[in-house]
Amino acid sequence: MIFITAKFPVKPEHADSWPQISKDFTDATNAEEGCLFFEWSRSLEEPHTYVLIEAFRDDESGATHVQSEHFKDATEKLPAYLTATPDIINVKVDGWSKLGELAVNSPKGQPRASRSRPLPTMTSASNCHD
């Protein structure tokens, strides 16, 4: 899986409307066959910053994404709403694992769940957003 996190510093006057500004791009990306998820969150510490968490099944899916018409449209349209170029982390991982340190308590008498597997090994992925 290609896992990507990017921080988008949105101009203050557009911060509240960013979900609508990015909606077409978000909807089109989520509709891609190889997209596992493409989700926005707003930073609590920096209210003009949105954090994008996205994942693609494999390299081919990532390549299809960056070659799509909606990706090209976003690269032309969205920078006008930003104060700086977004920061990005792009890695390949095996997938999700459980956060054992915050395991939900089991019923009394049952042991708490431990990490279901070791932390995934991360390797650098080619930056599919360049």
Side-chain angles (χ1 to χ4, degrees):
M1 165 171 64
I2 298 173
F3 181 80
I4 302 164
T5 301
K7 291 178 126 184
F8 285 69
V10 178
K11 291 179 181 177
E13 63 270 23
H14 299 297
D16 289 338
S17 57
W18 182 255
Q20 189 59 38
I21 292 167
S22 60
K23 183 176 182 359
D24 290 343
F25 179 49
T26 301
D27 291 347
T29 301
N30 273 312
E32 293 175 24
E33 182 181 331
C35 178
L36 301 175
F37 52 86
F38 192 90
E39 303 172 0
W40 295 96
S41 295
R42 193 170 189 176
S43 173
L44 297 176
E45 289 78 25
E46 301 169 15
H48 301 135
T49 298
Y50 280 81
V51 179
L52 174 61
I53 301 174
E54 57 185 302
F56 296 91
R57 184 179 53 234
D58 50 29
D59 289 335
E60 183 180 338
S61 300
T64 298
H65 172 62
V66 298
Q67 294 167 7
S68 69
E69 197 60 37
H70 56 271
F71 184 86
K72 292 174 189 169
D73 290 344
T75 62
E76 293 173 7
K77 173 186 170 188
L78 297 183
Y81 298 95
L82 304 175
T83 60
T85 302
D87 291 324
I88 187 170
I89 298 171
N90 182 335
V91 295
K92 287 185 181 180
V93 297
D94 293 331
W96 292 100
S97 61
K98 297 293 182 192
L99 180 57
E101 295 81 4
L102 294 178
V104 175
N105 289 327
S106 299
K108 286 190 174 195
Q110 299 292 319
R112 287 174 53 147
S114 61
R115 185 176 297 283
S116 60
R117 60 183 173 165
L119 288 172
T121 303
M122 291 193 262
T123 58
S124 294
S126 60
N127 191 341
C128 66
H129 285 275
D130 279 345

